[in-house]
Amino acid sequence: MEKIIVITPTYNEAENIENFISRVLAQEQSIDILVVDDNSPDGTGRIVKNLQRNNSRIHLIERERKMGLGTAYVAGFKVAIAHGYDFIFEMDADLSHNPDEIPAFLRKMEMYDLLIGSRYTNGVRVVNWPIRRLILSFSANLYTRVVTGMPVRDATSGFKCFRRSVLEAIDLDKIRSNGYAFQIEMAFKAWSKGFRVGEHPITFVDRRSGISKMSRSIVYEAALLVWKLRLQKIMGKLS
């Protein structure tokens, strides 16, 4: 039986985490979940610890402080590789990514090495975003596609499924990006290394309407990263 794990970084997700874990584990008996918690003040880590007592499929990495999404996923990826998981998911714990989509992802993984949950395939599928943020996100993905040449409509999506071989081929110790830039970097490196990258249409429902994770620093990081990645590929220095 193939081993599957869902990795979710958390910071103050006490309101959602128990429901999220329950829904993820209900999808397939072979699915485990790994929560990477950045010392959430609201006690998210404590809730996960309590759930662990009765379920060996729940795993937890506790970090001392808020260190960012990119480093959280890298820490989770290393654990997944070390324990021989075949398929590794990225998902947000706030239920903006629907756990009910997991079986559809797994069926499509027969054809792909990396499958991205796309908000911009088969139209625009986003709920609860102000139009300004939607335009910024859509434009950022168009910009990424034009600069890098990567045929992906939603490179900034945080709902992904990797084959272990993809993560093994990427030098995770050299991943320095965070936020949306991290999502672009992982997708670009997988595509550049010849892995089969596909997209699965999802509906993204923002559970925190009015609270944007977008900042100028996040936008600037992603805008500069795409040129850096393109140059590294041209020079043969992509790791």
Side-chain angles (χ1 to χ4, degrees), residues 39-68:
N39 197 20
S40 297
D42 70 350
T44 301
R46 290 194 302 273
I47 294 172
V48 177
K49 279 183 177 178
N50 288 334
L51 295 172
Q52 278 186 299
R53 292 172 184 168
N54 300 311
N55 198 326
S56 62
R57 296 163 63 194
I58 301 171
H59 309 278
L60 173 66
I61 295 175
E62 292 183 287
R63 306 201 296 176
E64 293 183 355
R65 66 185 190 281
K66 193 172 183 180
M67 298 170 65

Short mmCIF file of all heavy atoms in Angstrom, two decimals, residues 39-68:
data_model
loop_
_atom_site.label_atom_id
_atom_site.label_comp_id
_atom_site.label_asym_id
_atom_site.label_seq_id
_atom_site.Cartn_x
_atom_site.Cartn_y
_atom_site.Cartn_z
N ASN A 39 5.03 27.27 17.36
CA ASN A 39 4.79 27.74 18.72
C ASN A 39 3.57 28.67 18.78
O ASN A 39 3.64 29.78 19.32
CB ASN A 39 6.03 28.45 19.27
CG ASN A 39 6.00 28.60 20.78
OD1 ASN A 39 5.28 27.89 21.47
ND2 ASN A 39 6.76 29.56 21.28
N SER A 40 2.44 28.20 18.27
CA SER A 40 1.22 29.01 18.22
C SER A 40 0.78 29.44 19.62
O SER A 40 0.56 28.59 20.49
CB SER A 40 0.09 28.21 17.57
OG SER A 40 0.37 27.88 16.25
N PRO A 41 0.61 30.74 19.85
CA PRO A 41 0.15 31.21 21.16
C PRO A 41 -1.25 30.72 21.54
O PRO A 41 -1.58 30.67 22.73
CB PRO A 41 0.15 32.74 20.99
CG PRO A 41 1.09 33.01 19.87
CD PRO A 41 0.95 31.84 18.95
N ASP A 42 -2.05 30.34 20.55
CA ASP A 42 -3.42 29.91 20.85
C ASP A 42 -3.52 28.43 21.22
O ASP A 42 -4.61 27.91 21.45
CB ASP A 42 -4.35 30.21 19.67
CG ASP A 42 -4.09 29.33 18.45
OD1 ASP A 42 -3.08 28.60 18.44
OD2 ASP A 42 -4.91 29.36 17.51
N GLY A 43 -2.38 27.74 21.29
CA GLY A 43 -2.39 26.35 21.75
C GLY A 43 -2.66 25.32 20.67
O GLY A 43 -3.04 24.19 20.98
N THR A 44 -2.43 25.67 19.41
CA THR A 44 -2.62 24.70 18.33
C THR A 44 -1.81 23.43 18.58
O THR A 44 -2.31 22.32 18.42
CB THR A 44 -2.22 25.32 16.97
OG1 THR A 44 -3.01 26.47 16.71
CG2 THR A 44 -2.42 24.31 15.84
N GLY A 45 -0.56 23.59 18.98
CA GLY A 45 0.30 22.44 19.23
C GLY A 45 -0.25 21.53 20.31
O GLY A 45 -0.18 20.30 20.20
N ARG A 46 -0.81 22.11 21.37
CA ARG A 46 -1.37 21.30 22.45
C ARG A 46 -2.55 20.48 21.98
O ARG A 46 -2.72 19.31 22.38
CB ARG A 46 -1.79 22.21 23.62
CG ARG A 46 -0.65 22.83 24.38
CD ARG A 46 -1.10 23.42 25.71
NE ARG A 46 -2.14 24.44 25.54
CZ ARG A 46 -1.89 25.73 25.31
NH1 ARG A 46 -0.63 26.14 25.21
NH2 ARG A 46 -2.86 26.59 25.20
N ILE A 47 -3.36 21.07 21.12
CA ILE A 47 -4.51 20.33 20.58
C ILE A 47 -4.03 19.13 19.78
O ILE A 47 -4.55 18.01 19.91
CB ILE A 47 -5.38 21.25 19.70
CG1 ILE A 47 -6.03 22.35 20.55
CG2 ILE A 47 -6.45 20.45 18.95
CD1 ILE A 47 -6.74 23.41 19.75
N VAL A 48 -3.02 19.33 18.95
CA VAL A 48 -2.49 18.24 18.14
C VAL A 48 -1.90 17.15 19.04
O VAL A 48 -2.10 15.96 18.79
CB VAL A 48 -1.43 18.76 17.14
CG1 VAL A 48 -0.82 17.61 16.35
CG2 VAL A 48 -2.05 19.78 16.19
N LYS A 49 -1.19 17.54 20.08
CA LYS A 49 -0.64 16.56 21.02
C LYS A 49 -1.73 15.70 21.64
O LYS A 49 -1.58 14.48 21.80
CB LYS A 49 0.15 17.27 22.11
CG LYS A 49 1.55 17.67 21.72
CD LYS A 49 2.26 18.29 22.92
CE LYS A 49 3.69 18.65 22.59
NZ LYS A 49 4.36 19.30 23.74
N ASN A 50 -2.83 16.32 22.02
CA ASN A 50 -3.94 15.58 22.61
C ASN A 50 -4.53 14.59 21.61
O ASN A 50 -4.88 13.46 21.97
CB ASN A 50 -5.02 16.54 23.09
CG ASN A 50 -4.61 17.31 24.34
OD1 ASN A 50 -3.78 16.83 25.11
ND2 ASN A 50 -5.18 18.49 24.53
N LEU A 51 -4.63 15.00 20.35
CA LEU A 51 -5.17 14.11 19.32
C LEU A 51 -4.22 12.94 19.05
O LEU A 51 -4.66 11.84 18.74
CB LEU A 51 -5.42 14.90 18.04
CG LEU A 51 -6.49 15.99 18.10
CD1 LEU A 51 -6.50 16.81 16.81
CD2 LEU A 51 -7.87 15.39 18.34
N GLN A 52 -2.92 13.20 19.16
CA GLN A 52 -1.92 12.16 18.92
C GLN A 52 -2.07 10.97 19.86
O GLN A 52 -1.74 9.85 19.50
CB GLN A 52 -0.52 12.74 19.10
CG GLN A 52 0.04 13.48 17.91
CD GLN A 52 1.48 13.88 18.17
OE1 GLN A 52 1.78 14.63 19.10
NE2 GLN A 52 2.38 13.36 17.35
N ARG A 53 -2.55 11.21 21.07
CA ARG A 53 -2.62 10.16 22.08
C ARG A 53 -3.49 8.99 21.63
O ARG A 53 -3.27 7.85 22.05
CB ARG A 53 -3.16 10.74 23.38
CG ARG A 53 -2.22 11.72 24.04
CD ARG A 53 -2.87 12.41 25.22
NE ARG A 53 -1.99 13.42 25.81
CZ ARG A 53 -2.38 14.33 26.69
NH1 ARG A 53 -3.66 14.35 27.09
NH2 ARG A 53 -1.53 15.21 27.16
N ASN A 54 -4.45 9.28 20.79
CA ASN A 54 -5.39 8.24 20.35
C ASN A 54 -5.27 7.90 18.87
O ASN A 54 -6.09 7.14 18.35
CB ASN A 54 -6.83 8.67 20.66
CG ASN A 54 -7.06 8.90 22.14
OD1 ASN A 54 -6.70 8.05 22.95
ND2 ASN A 54 -7.64 10.04 22.47
N ASN A 55 -4.26 8.46 18.19
CA ASN A 55 -4.17 8.23 16.76
C ASN A 55 -2.71 8.30 16.31
O ASN A 55 -2.11 9.38 16.29
CB ASN A 55 -5.01 9.25 15.98
CG ASN A 55 -5.29 8.80 14.57
OD1 ASN A 55 -4.47 8.15 13.94
ND2 ASN A 55 -6.46 9.16 14.05
N SER A 56 -2.17 7.16 15.93
CA SER A 56 -0.77 7.09 15.52
C SER A 56 -0.52 7.68 14.14
O SER A 56 0.63 7.79 13.71
CB SER A 56 -0.29 5.63 15.54
OG SER A 56 -1.04 4.86 14.62
N ARG A 57 -1.59 8.06 13.44
CA ARG A 57 -1.44 8.65 12.10
C ARG A 57 -1.18 10.16 12.16
O ARG A 57 -0.95 10.79 11.14
CB ARG A 57 -2.70 8.38 11.26
CG ARG A 57 -2.93 6.90 10.99
CD ARG A 57 -4.36 6.64 10.54
NE ARG A 57 -4.66 7.29 9.29
CZ ARG A 57 -5.91 7.46 8.82
NH1 ARG A 57 -6.95 7.02 9.53
NH2 ARG A 57 -6.11 8.05 7.67
N ILE A 58 -1.24 10.72 13.35
CA ILE A 58 -1.03 12.16 13.53
C ILE A 58 0.39 12.40 14.05
O ILE A 58 0.81 11.80 15.04
CB ILE A 58 -2.06 12.74 14.52
CG1 ILE A 58 -3.48 12.49 14.01
CG2 ILE A 58 -1.83 14.23 14.73
CD1 ILE A 58 -4.56 12.85 15.03
N HIS A 59 1.12 13.30 13.38
CA HIS A 59 2.50 13.60 13.74
C HIS A 59 2.65 15.12 13.92
O HIS A 59 1.91 15.89 13.34
CB HIS A 59 3.45 13.08 12.67
CG HIS A 59 3.20 11.64 12.32
ND1 HIS A 59 3.69 10.60 13.06
CD2 HIS A 59 2.48 11.08 11.30
CE1 HIS A 59 3.29 9.45 12.53
NE2 HIS A 59 2.57 9.72 11.46
N LEU A 60 3.64 15.49 14.70
CA LEU A 60 3.80 16.91 15.03
C LEU A 60 5.27 17.28 15.11
O LEU A 60 6.07 16.57 15.72
CB LEU A 60 3.13 17.21 16.38
CG LEU A 60 3.33 18.60 16.98
CD1 LEU A 60 2.65 19.66 16.11
CD2 LEU A 60 2.78 18.65 18.41
N ILE A 61 5.62 18.39 14.46
CA ILE A 61 6.91 19.04 14.65
C ILE A 61 6.62 20.36 15.36
O ILE A 61 5.83 21.18 14.86
CB ILE A 61 7.64 19.31 13.32
CG1 ILE A 61 8.01 18.01 12.62
CG2 ILE A 61 8.89 20.16 13.56
CD1 ILE A 61 8.62 18.22 11.25
N GLU A 62 7.22 20.58 16.52
CA GLU A 62 7.05 21.84 17.24
C GLU A 62 8.31 22.67 17.09
O GLU A 62 9.42 22.20 17.39
CB GLU A 62 6.77 21.58 18.72
CG GLU A 62 5.42 20.93 18.98
CD GLU A 62 5.16 20.77 20.46
OE1 GLU A 62 5.80 19.88 21.07
OE2 GLU A 62 4.34 21.52 21.01
N ARG A 63 8.15 23.91 16.65
CA ARG A 63 9.30 24.80 16.49
C ARG A 63 9.20 25.93 17.52
O ARG A 63 8.12 26.26 18.00
CB ARG A 63 9.34 25.33 15.05
CG ARG A 63 9.31 24.18 14.04
CD ARG A 63 9.84 24.57 12.70
NE ARG A 63 9.05 25.58 12.01
CZ ARG A 63 9.39 26.11 10.83
NH1 ARG A 63 10.49 25.73 10.23
NH2 ARG A 63 8.62 27.03 10.26
N GLU A 64 10.32 26.51 17.84
CA GLU A 64 10.39 27.45 18.96
C GLU A 64 9.74 28.79 18.67
O GLU A 64 9.32 29.49 19.59
CB GLU A 64 11.84 27.67 19.37
CG GLU A 64 12.51 26.42 19.95
CD GLU A 64 13.92 26.69 20.41
OE1 GLU A 64 14.40 27.82 20.19
OE2 GLU A 64 14.54 25.78 20.99
N ARG A 65 9.65 29.15 17.39
CA ARG A 65 9.11 30.47 17.06
C ARG A 65 8.55 30.44 15.64
O ARG A 65 8.71 29.46 14.92
CB ARG A 65 10.20 31.54 17.17
CG ARG A 65 11.30 31.39 16.15
CD ARG A 65 12.43 32.37 16.36
NE ARG A 65 13.37 32.38 15.26
CZ ARG A 65 14.32 31.48 15.07
NH1 ARG A 65 14.45 30.48 15.92
NH2 ARG A 65 15.13 31.57 14.03
N LYS A 66 7.93 31.54 15.26
CA LYS A 66 7.39 31.64 13.91
C LYS A 66 8.54 31.80 12.93
O LYS A 66 9.26 32.80 12.93
CB LYS A 66 6.45 32.84 13.81
CG LYS A 66 5.61 32.87 12.54
CD LYS A 66 4.56 33.97 12.59
CE LYS A 66 3.69 33.91 11.35
NZ LYS A 66 2.65 34.98 11.36
N MET A 67 8.71 30.79 12.05
CA MET A 67 9.87 30.75 11.15
C MET A 67 9.49 30.78 9.68
O MET A 67 10.36 30.78 8.82
CB MET A 67 10.71 29.50 11.45
CG MET A 67 11.28 29.49 12.86
SD MET A 67 12.02 27.91 13.32
CE MET A 67 13.40 27.82 12.20
N GLY A 68 8.21 30.76 9.38
CA GLY A 68 7.79 30.92 8.00
C GLY A 68 7.38 29.63 7.32
O GLY A 68 7.80 28.53 7.68
#
